[in-house]
Amino acid sequence: MRGLILSLFLVFVTSADELARRQELLDELRRILPRSAAWETWLEASDELPPDFARLPGVPGLPNPLRPANGQPVTTPAEWAPHRAELIGLFQHYVIGSVPPPPGNVRVAERQTHREPGAHREEVTLEFGPEHRARLRLEILRPPGPGPFPVFLTQYNHRRWALIAVSRGYLACVYAGADARDDTGPWRDLWPDHDWTKLTRRAWAASRCVDYLATRPEADARRIALTGHSRNGKTSLIAAALDERIAAVISSSSGAGGACPWRCFSEAEFGEGIELITRNFPDWLHPRLRFFVGREDRLPIDQHELIACIAPRPVLLSTALNDNVESVWAIEQCQRAAQPVFALLGAPDHLNLRYRHGPHATAAGDIESYLDWLDWKFGRASRRVDDAPIYPTLEDWQRAGGTPLDPARFPARGRGDLLLTADGAPINSREEWDAKRHEIRQRISQVLGETPPLAADPGGTYGAEPQPVAALLRRDTPPARLVKESLSFGNYVTGDLYYPTNVAGTTRQLPAFVWLHPLSVSHGYVAGYHRGETPHLALTRSGYAVFAFDQLGNGARIEEVRHFYERYPDWSLLGKTVADTRAAVDVLRGHRHVDPDQIYLTGYGTGALAALHAAALDDRVAGVIVVGGITPWRFDTVASGTGGVGRWSQALPWLPRLAVFVGEESRIPYDVPELLALIAPRPVQLIIPGIDYQTNLEALRQAVHEARRVFAWLGAPQALVFQKTDSYNHFSPELVWCLCGVETIP
Ligand code: GTR
């Protein structure tokens, strides 16, 4: 009896604790997130609290869709079926809302047939649901002849795509489930027990079209393909995941909430993350998703698993390289992570990629090629369309013959050896410190790989960015009162120097920043999806000269990264970015409006890592301000929840030589303290978002503490500033101003 009372008491205390924790989480989210009236309304109506994140396991990389379900690993197609149902349940809970069962009573309310010269056209209104009160308009366009024709199903916005499909021998069905014509709004009230969202209702509408098409002898019900672009690309994926009668799907530029996983396309990657999409389009996805802003690692599922639920049916993910609502890199991660499910179900090549140049929009040629793919998948043509992923993988590096380091050659370095000589004696003189610096730099170079011979370029305007490229990347015209000067530097790389107009024509020299963007695939240094003024412009406005360039693999340089490791098997992507950064310093030092002794680096995310490396290796850099992006590697284990150092060699092979240190992290040849120590006594400011699962805050604090001893020894203890912000991992407009107002920079 006493035992029972005690356990009841414990349950009570635990749940009270848990409730308090969740309430605190909600208070924190309300404090740090931009206000969303729709979300507030939902919070009030639903009384919901965020999940207890302390109990939700963090999965920093994309979850394996074949992970054990109910404790059972998924190894056979039979085991996949129940797991798939479980995943769909999780999607309904966290992302798309709950979906009513098929109504089972779809019938035609109205039908008009039009004989047009080229094709048959029908306008049909379906009715179904409670008392047949739900209505859905659709249009059928079909080639002459009895059929049956394969079906090209799409939302009303893409009626013009359907015209091409008809010419290619498809029956096209265009339904009113898109912004231009949407019949699904009133359904919310007809099914009040379901919290489905706008995109989910539109997806369910596609299934009602399938119900109807199954009754039409002209339609080949086994070959119904669904397609849509952008928000309708998201809708199409949801529909195909929910309805197995949809035989193929072409999801065009679906981006966030589509084929770009939340974990790979958050605001930290200058993408349209959870915060932006749930605030800008509060009815597209479930408001519960907003609890995961900055905690994407806690989401029990991610978008690649929605796609895995479509397997083994063919899926084409179509992406534009410089589209600010998607990311080629994120799509490639998505494909790689969903692929094992397609393979398990016997269709290893049913998840395909298609890339096009330019921005978000599509043109006739794109749709023709979507239909080429569909013809192939539906057995109407034999021409394969092979995937051509862009981003190198660790396997590419290994295949190219990259030489790994041997962890056994590196001692497990305890903390505290920064101010010790190689023999373990305290460092007492400048000479001894210089020797130590030299030795650390050698270790860094081993990890960055071998820099190839680099001939100097004095910089110039030949080879500067052409105007159409600048326009595509939204940097063709500088804002009022700022000058933009395009310069070529390093190995024929292009960058832009910005400075205030009133400096032009004078002999004034300004302190300068080199802006190092994070992984920012579509728009490089400009940022694809961003609120507020971007860092390079805000900094320029506050009186600096700012040099900005696209790092390899981003913006105008996406495709340049494709064969990197075949060309430079012993170098690294980070090594190349650091070399480019140093070349940028070269060119700035010769510029008439730059003070050569005041060239600073600033970076966010991966740009922060590049900035610290470049400053550590190059004494001409006057100081560094970085935002996020760093966590001490020797503590960055698989168990730490940060993602582990493996992420620098696997998801993004920036440093493939780190791969062998997974599990041997303490032997990594250098770490944050070494990088900071090499920069000392020059000013360094680390601005670290408080909510960032990729950063181990405590380890970072200790690393700073350790490095500060070097700053102190060099007489500049104040030059190292560590500042935690009350925010999640993103580059907010407020942060820009924090950079501009920074006090460590004279
Ligand atoms: C954007 C939205 C994207 C994309 C796009 C579209 O504003 O941020 O996710 O869906 O709209 O549908 O055109």
Side-chain angles (χ1 to χ4, degrees):
M1 185 63 183
R2 210 188 274 168
L4 180 66
I5 293 175
L6 184 66
S7 28
L8 282 176
F9 175 73
L10 284 179
V11 168
F12 174 77
V13 171
T14 320
S15 52
D17 264 10
E18 185 191 310
L19 273 183
R21 262 202 311 269
R22 294 171 64 192
Q23 185 58 51
E24 250 172 58
L25 279 166
L26 182 61
D27 296 344
E28 179 191 56
L29 284 172
R30 279 190 153 137
R31 189 176 72 240
I32 65 174
L33 296 187
R35 209 185 130 72
S36 156
W39 196 55
E40 291 295 330
T41 309
W42 174 75
L43 283 173
E44 225 140 88
S46 67
D47 243 352
E48 245 192 74
L49 291 174
D52 185 7
F53 290 115
R55 284 165 188 247
L56 268 187
V59 183
L62 293 182
N64 176 2
L66 297 173
R67 65 188 171 282
N70 301 321
Q72 294 301 314
V74 178
T75 54
T76 64
E79 286 161 358
W80 169 250
H83 186 47
R84 173 178 178 273
E86 216 173 283
L87 289 174
I88 286 184
L90 289 169
F91 267 99
Q92 295 199 24
H93 185 73
Y94 290 107
V95 188
I96 62 173
S98 80
V99 184
N105 62 349
V106 173
R107 71 183 182 201
V108 174
E110 287 163 37
R111 180 170 159 198
Q112 288 178 356
T113 310
H114 307 270
R115 294 234 167 272
E116 292 182 357
H120 295 277
R121 186 166 79 85
E122 289 170 38
E123 288 174 281
V124 180
T125 303
L126 301 178
E127 56 182 22
F128 46 85
E131 296 151 34
H132 285 99
R133 278 160 56 215
R135 289 170 81 83
L136 177 65
R137 283 169 297 166
L138 53 90
E139 208 181 334
I140 292 201
L141 305 164
R142 70 181 162 85
F149 303 101
V151 177
F152 185 88
L153 174 61
T154 192
Q155 305 81 14
Y156 194 77
N157 279 42
H158 312 305
R159 189 180 184 279
R160 292 195 176 96
W161 295 14
L163 306 182
I164 302 176
V166 173
S167 301
R168 297 280 296 262
Y170 286 76
L171 177 150
C173 174
V174 181
Y175 71 94
D179 292 5
R181 184 179 281 183
D182 191 3
D183 289 345
T184 68
W187 301 358
R188 215 180 11 198
D189 298 334
L190 290 176
W191 282 271
D193 297 338
H194 293 274
D195 58 359
W196 48 352
T197 66
K198 184 185 256 180
L199 298 187
T200 309
R201 285 195 301 276
R202 291 173 172 183
W204 199 75
S207 291
R208 306 300 59 89
C209 297
V210 176
D211 294 345
Y212 172 62
L213 289 164
T215 69
R216 295 287 306 253
E218 308 91 325
D220 180 348
R222 288 166 305 112
R223 290 194 294 175
I224 298 179
L226 174 65
T227 184
H229 182 69
S230 208
R231 64 200 72 183
N232 308 318
K234 309 182 210 290
T235 294
S236 300
L237 289 176
I238 298 170
L242 294 175
D243 190 337
E244 294 183 88
R245 297 170 304 167
I246 295 170
V249 60
I250 300 166
S251 180
S252 179
S253 294
S254 56
C260 290
W262 303 110
R263 286 168 174 81
C264 302
F265 193 53
S266 71
E267 285 178 75
E269 286 91 21
F270 277 176
E272 183 183 19
I274 295 177
E275 194 286 307
L276 288 160
I277 202 166
T278 55
R279 182 160 50 87
N280 292 341
F281 305 102
D283 53 358
W284 281 8
L285 301 169
H286 203 285
R288 192 172 286 131
L289 185 62
R290 197 166 167 80
F291 288 139
F292 292 84
V293 173
R295 293 190 172 92
E296 294 81 4
D297 65 319
R298 304 285 154 154
L299 255 180
I301 32 73
D302 211 327
Q303 292 301 121
H304 64 296
E305 293 178 304
L306 187 69
I307 291 167
C309 289
I310 305 173
R313 291 165 288 148
V315 179
L316 180 66
L317 305 176
S318 171
T319 307
L321 301 193
N322 299 111
D323 177 0
N324 67 339
V325 296
E326 53 184 340
S327 148
V328 186
W329 176 77
I331 295 279
E332 290 184 6
Q333 302 311 305
C334 175
Q335 189 206 30
R336 278 167 63 192
Q339 173 62 25
V341 179
F342 286 80
L344 178 76
L345 302 182
D349 58 359
H350 271 190
L351 178 54
N352 300 129
L353 303 176
R354 181 193 185 261
Y355 294 154
R356 61 187 192 282
H357 285 102
H360 192 55
T362 53
D366 299 308
I367 312 312
E368 293 280 8
S369 105
Y370 292 179
L371 285 155
D372 293 344
W373 176 84
L374 202 54
D375 279 351
W376 169 39
K377 294 298 171 182
F378 278 174
R380 305 178 83 226
S382 55
R383 189 156 66 88
R384 291 178 55 97
V385 189
D386 284 326
D387 295 341
I390 291 177
Y391 289 85
T393 60
L394 182 64
E395 295 70 40
D396 291 331
W397 174 73
Q398 285 160 340
R399 258 194 303 273
T403 326
L405 295 176
D406 176 6
R409 280 187 36 230
F410 298 92
R413 268 160 214 284
R415 270 176 282 132
D417 73 345
L418 274 183
L419 284 169
L420 299 181
T421 65
D423 308 329
I427 287 178
N428 282 319
S429 67
R430 247 346 248 250
E431 290 67 40
E432 282 171 345
W433 174 237
D434 285 344
K436 178 84 181 188
R437 295 181 89 220
H438 180 70
E439 186 262 324
I440 298 176
R441 280 182 173 168
Q442 279 180 326
R443 282 190 259 149
I444 295 178
S445 302
Q446 280 177 296
V447 176
L448 292 187
E450 280 162 32
T451 309
L454 295 172
D457 176 25
T461 50
Y462 176 76
E465 184 160 88
Q467 193 66 3
V469 178
L472 173 66
L473 299 174
R474 297 188 312 202
R475 54 196 187 204
D476 47 335
T477 26
R481 295 190 300 282
L482 300 185
V483 176
K484 183 186 98 164
E485 204 178 303
S486 270
L487 297 173
S488 173
F489 67 104
N491 274 2
Y492 199 37
V493 184
T494 293
D496 294 318
L497 181 67
Y498 293 83
Y499 50 88
T501 322
N502 60 7
V503 173
T506 70
T507 52
R508 270 182 66 201
Q509 291 191 324
L510 301 175
F513 272 103
V514 178
W515 158 238
L516 292 160
H517 62 74
L519 185 64
S520 166
V521 172
S522 71
H523 280 66
Y525 80 74
V526 175
Y529 222 99
H530 188 75
R531 121 194 118 83
E533 188 157 49
T534 45
H536 64 284
L537 295 178
L539 276 171
T540 313
R541 251 183 236 302
S542 37
Y544 296 97
V546 177
F547 190 66
F549 68 94
D550 293 347
Q551 294 162 37
L552 184 57
N554 299 268
R557 300 175 72 196
I558 294 177
E559 287 170 290
E560 186 191 333
V561 81
R562 184 177 258 133
H563 299 293
F564 180 80
Y565 285 115
E566 288 159 51
R567 296 165 183 154
Y568 304 103
D570 277 320
W571 208 8
S572 65
L573 291 176
L574 181 59
K576 165 69 173 154
T577 301
V578 168
D580 287 350
T581 307
R582 299 180 66 181
V585 174
D586 290 340
V587 73
L588 287 183
R589 283 172 67 87
H591 195 275
R592 63 197 180 287
H593 291 311
V594 171
D595 176 347
D597 297 323
Q598 287 197 75
I599 299 175
Y600 300 90
L601 305 181
T602 184
Y604 170 52
T606 48
L609 199 61
L612 289 180
H613 278 81
L617 295 176
D618 196 327
D619 290 333
R620 300 168 309 166
V621 171
V624 188
I625 309 177
V626 297
V627 179
I630 46 165
T631 191
W633 286 341
R634 291 178 187 146
F635 296 86
D636 198 359
T637 60
V638 173
S640 70
T642 41
V645 283
R647 67 181 180 277
W648 300 113
S649 48
Q650 276 138 21
L652 181 71
W654 254 40
L655 286 170
R657 287 184 171 184
L658 275 188
V660 292
F661 290 92
V662 174
E664 301 258 22
E665 290 81 3
S666 68
R667 292 184 185 273
I668 295 176
Y670 66 94
D671 203 346
V672 174
E674 282 85 352
L675 288 172
L676 296 175
L678 285 180
I679 306 173
R682 294 167 285 163
V684 181
Q685 174 141 354
L686 309 174
I687 302 171
I688 305 297
I691 303 175
D692 174 10
Y693 58 89
Q694 294 189 336
T695 297
N696 177 341
L697 260 180
E698 217 16 71
L700 187 56
R701 226 183 279 247
Q702 285 184 29
V704 169
H705 183 71
E706 189 185 345
R708 200 187 305 285
R709 292 184 18 237
V710 176
F711 280 80
W713 186 75
L714 293 169
Q718 309 301 337
L720 177 59
V721 177
F722 176 86
Q723 186 189 334
K724 183 183 131 195
T725 62
D726 187 23
S727 71
Y728 63 101
N729 186 9
H730 71 310
F731 205 104
S732 64
E734 298 76 39
L735 255 183
V736 173
W737 295 112
C738 178
L739 281 193
C740 300
V742 85
E743 275 161 24
T744 39
I745 302 298

